[in-house]
Amino acid sequence: FWKEIEGEGWRGGVEYGLMSTTTDRDIAIQYSGTKVKRGTVFEISVGRVDVGASISFLSQYAGEEEYLLPPFACLEVEGKPRLEQTSEGQVILFPLRLNVNHKIITVEMLLQRRKQLHMSMLKNLREELQLYLEAELEDFDSGAHKVSSSWGKLCASRAKSDFDGLFKDHETLDADVLNDDSKYKDLITQAIEYKKWALMKFNHFTGNEPDHQPEGIDQQSGPPSGSLHHRILVLPLVDLGRAGVLSELVTGVMGFPWAAMEQGEAQADLSSWTPETQALTAAQELKVIEALAGNTKLRTVKFRGDHSIVLPKGCGSEEIDLGRQQAEGYVLALSLLVRACSSLRSLNLRLGYADWAVVVRGLRRCTGLTRLNDWGGFGEFVGKGQERVDLSSTWREIKEKELVQALLLYAGQTCRQLSISNSTIGADGCTVLAPALGCLTTLAELDLSNNGVGDEGAVALSGALGGLSGLQRLDLSNNGLGAEGCQTLSATLGRLTALAQLDLSNNDVGDAGAVALSGALGGLSGLQRL
């Protein structure tokens, strides 16, 4: 303290604690220790800003003129000490210069520090939110948003108001709450999440098309009650942080386990989900499929009646097998799961024919699926990837003809030979078959013999046959075709430039039919057998 600090050129030190002083010289000498030995007194010079606080009004000995100095006051030795003789005895006086540390904080200030920091962070978050929203509102004329600028301003105002509500709540918190580490951490997280949710509200509000046509919407008064945009607008920010809430809100698909899928749970419980009653759109179905396929941890799907499907590799599994359980009441949910499993190679179910039609219609996503098995129904159907498909016995067995249509669409992407003979499909069957035939672009041979097609069925088939430009062999024998049916087919047959064999035997063609056919077939240079 008395020796010069090496390299710094001064003597003295810092008092870490509170320092009690007096302006009364006699009091200082009285406490200097002269009764025991020679006393020591610090003679301190202070400037106006370094004067301590007078605490005489608090002291039991008010006459002592006590001044209290804060911690971390710097005491610098000035000049040399001197010895004085007093009535109390000898005293050494040390001349010091004092500088008060004005940056030191009080206990109260220390307790408030976390809250001050926290509120500063909240202000920054609020300003960031404000700047983002202002920039987005200025960009409305670019067409990047799907709602009017008045709606955008309404949502931006609501998002800021929601965040301001959190700001006010935190502002009223007692400082002691923020001095609890766990609570402080939660409050910081909440503040950051609120900003994120406010941005989510605005982006989803402005990024979705209105529920109704523009003429049905008042763009100035705001979205109508009950609409998607109204639901987003009034949704509390904290609800946006709950898993699944936003997905359910935006898709409009109710009851689906959105939260479980977003949180990567191993089980999807569809036992209480009733998509049939919601009349899902194709877009809604796709969102469900994406949610199932996007959960890489999914291993079990539960349906009604305690029926479950185990997926060893989630939606990357190659087989779905319900065994001999009759799948009733959840066919749409099952079909969406099947469509989510794009790696499927084998599908074993027990369904009614109408339900099978629902499932099969969605199988185009499953590009590797080659085996369908209906326990106790039409049996095993192997179609996909096969060049030759025979649906003759299948058509006779299945009364739900839409299923045959669906099976044909499923199998037909590589089909070159199709046979549906001796099945008495009739005119109604041709009506069912025609849309599927139009999709068989690789078809080279078609056998529809012995089916009682008739003239009415020929009308249904004519449009579909015209698109089979690669067809080389066509068998329509023994189908009860008359002159009218042949006249209808003639316009189509003339476009089948690859046709090499045509069988119309055992039909009542008649003179008029023969004339119509001869005119059409005359241009088919590759026709070898008639």
Side-chain angles (χ1 to χ4, degrees):
F1 188 88
W2 309 116
K3 294 181 180 180
E4 184 174 305
I5 299 175
E6 185 176 351
E8 296 189 16
W10 70 287
R11 295 175 295 165
V14 175
E15 174 58 68
Y16 287 169
L18 294 168
M19 186 165 62
S20 177
T21 65
T22 178
T23 57
D24 189 321
R25 180 184 177 89
D26 293 336
I27 295 296
I29 293 173
Q30 181 182 329
Y31 283 97
S32 67
T34 55
K35 294 180 179 180
V36 178
K37 56 183 179 179
R38 187 166 54 192
T40 301
V41 173
F42 288 171
E43 189 176 58
I44 302 173
S45 300
V46 296
R48 180 66 188 89
V49 297
D50 295 321
V51 177
S54 174
I55 60 171
S56 295
F57 69 99
L58 297 174
S59 176
Q60 183 178 357
Y61 307 100
E64 292 186 349
E65 296 297 330
E66 183 176 3
Y67 279 75
L68 196 62
L69 294 166
F72 299 101
C74 180
L75 299 170
E76 182 178 357
V77 177
E78 291 187 334
K80 296 180 179 180
R82 64 182 187 275
L83 181 64
E84 287 191 6
Q85 182 67 43
T86 69
S87 58
E88 298 289 335
Q90 288 185 334
V91 175
I92 298 178
L93 290 98
F94 290 89
L96 302 177
R97 169 69 186 176
L98 180 140
N99 291 102
V100 170
N101 187 341
H102 295 284
K103 293 185 178 180
I104 195 68
I105 62 174
T106 65
V107 173
E108 291 76 10
M109 293 170 63
L110 181 62
L111 293 175
Q112 289 285 335
R113 176 177 282 182
R114 271 195 180 179
K115 183 173 181 179
Q116 292 170 353
L117 291 172
H118 183 68
M119 296 312 299
S120 294
M121 182 195 72
L122 274 173
K123 288 178 182 177
N124 286 339
L125 292 175
R126 185 169 60 179
E127 289 173 2
E128 290 170 1
L129 174 62
Q130 174 79 18
L131 290 172
Y132 176 87
L133 295 175
E134 287 176 354
E136 288 295 306
L137 291 175
E138 289 177 0
D139 194 41
F140 256 75
D141 293 336
S142 68
H145 303 285
K146 297 181 180 180
V147 298
S148 67
S149 60
S150 61
W151 278 25
K153 291 177 182 177
L154 180 64
C155 184
S157 176
R158 187 59 177 261
K160 288 187 291 184
S161 176
D162 289 345
F163 190 85
D164 285 343
L166 175 76
F167 188 93
K168 292 175 182 177
D169 288 343
H170 284 209
E171 201 170 31
T172 59
L173 289 174
D174 190 272
D176 290 342
V177 175
L178 287 94
N179 290 328
D180 182 302
D181 288 347
S182 62
K183 293 179 181 178
Y184 185 44
K185 179 181 177 182
D186 292 341
L187 290 170
I188 290 175
T189 302
Q190 184 187 40
I192 295 172
E193 291 294 291
Y194 255 67
K195 178 199 167 186
K196 180 180 76 174
W197 297 334
L199 295 176
M200 285 174 60
K201 170 177 276 195
F202 180 81
N203 290 332
H204 280 284
F205 183 92
T206 59
N208 281 281
E209 295 283 359
D211 293 351
H212 312 289
Q213 295 300 318
E215 58 267 25
I217 297 177
D218 184 348
Q219 295 285 352
Q220 299 302 317
S221 63
S225 178
S227 66
L228 168 62
H229 286 78
H230 183 263
R231 295 197 303 272
I232 295 176
L233 192 64
V234 300
L235 186 70
L237 288 185
V238 68
D239 285 350
L240 288 170
R242 289 168 41 213
V245 170
L246 191 60
S247 294
E248 184 172 274
L249 185 68
V250 173
T251 63
V253 180
M254 314 300 289
F256 181 78
W258 294 108
M261 296 303 95
E262 290 176 8
Q263 293 172 340
E265 294 185 9
Q267 176 175 285
D269 188 349
L270 306 182
S271 59
S272 59
W273 184 45
T274 55
E276 294 83 0
T277 64
Q278 299 183 43
L280 301 183
T281 65
Q284 289 175 317
E285 290 184 354
L286 183 59
K287 290 295 184 183
V288 170
I289 292 169
E290 289 174 349
L292 290 168
N295 181 7
T296 58
K297 296 181 179 179
L298 182 65
R299 293 297 179 268
T300 306
V301 180
K302 183 179 179 182
F303 297 101
R304 291 183 215 167
D306 291 330
H307 290 183
S308 295
I309 289 178
V310 177
L311 303 171
K313 298 180 181 179
C315 287
S317 299
E318 296 182 354
E319 180 181 34
I320 286 182
D321 190 350
L322 262 178
R324 298 184 181 274
Q325 298 178 108
Q326 181 70 37
E328 294 182 354
Y330 55 86
V331 63
L332 181 53
L334 176 61
S335 71
L336 294 175
L337 173 64
V338 170
R339 290 165 64 185
C341 297
S342 57
S343 300
L344 272 183
R345 298 183 62 81
S346 177
L347 183 60
N348 304 308
L349 306 172
R350 186 179 182 188
L351 301 171
Y353 294 137
D355 290 345
W356 258 114
V358 174
V359 172
V360 173
R361 286 183 190 280
L363 293 181
R364 288 199 170 190
R365 177 182 170 90
C366 306
T367 55
L369 184 61
T370 57
R371 179 176 178 272
L372 300 177
N373 185 31
D374 174 28
W375 294 103
F378 61 78
E380 185 174 82
F381 176 80
V382 180
K384 198 117 177 191
Q386 305 298 311
E387 288 194 0
R388 186 176 192 282
V389 177
D390 190 341
L391 290 178
S392 301
S393 60
T394 304
W395 189 285
R396 291 193 299 271
E397 177 66 27
I398 299 174
K399 306 303 179 185
E400 187 71 37
K401 302 310 177 187
E402 284 74 10
L403 174 55
V404 178
Q405 183 189 76
L407 288 171
L408 191 55
L409 288 170
Y410 151 71
Q413 295 176 23
T414 57
C415 178
R416 290 184 52 80
Q417 301 176 37
L418 173 64
S419 176
I420 307 178
S421 61
N422 302 303
S423 299
T424 318
I425 68 175
D428 291 341
C430 291
T431 301
V432 173
L433 184 61
L437 283 178
C439 298
L440 304 182
T441 55
T442 60
L443 196 63
E445 298 184 18
L446 175 61
D447 183 357
L448 295 176
S449 60
N450 299 305
N451 278 314
V453 171
D455 292 343
E456 186 178 349
V459 173
L461 288 176
S462 61
L465 291 174
L468 304 179
S469 59
L471 194 64
Q472 300 172 16
R473 177 178 176 274
L474 175 61
D475 189 346
L476 292 173
S477 63
N478 197 23
N479 267 306
L481 296 174
E484 183 179 350
C486 291
Q487 289 173 339
T488 301
L489 287 172
S490 62
T492 296
L493 293 174
R495 297 199 298 271
L496 303 181
T497 55
L499 195 63
Q501 298 182 40
L502 174 63
D503 191 345
L504 292 173
S505 61
N506 295 316
N507 286 296
D508 190 12
V509 174
D511 294 342
V515 171
L517 288 170
S518 63
L521 300 179
L524 301 181
S525 58
L527 189 62
Q528 300 174 5
R529 180 177 178 182
L530 176 61

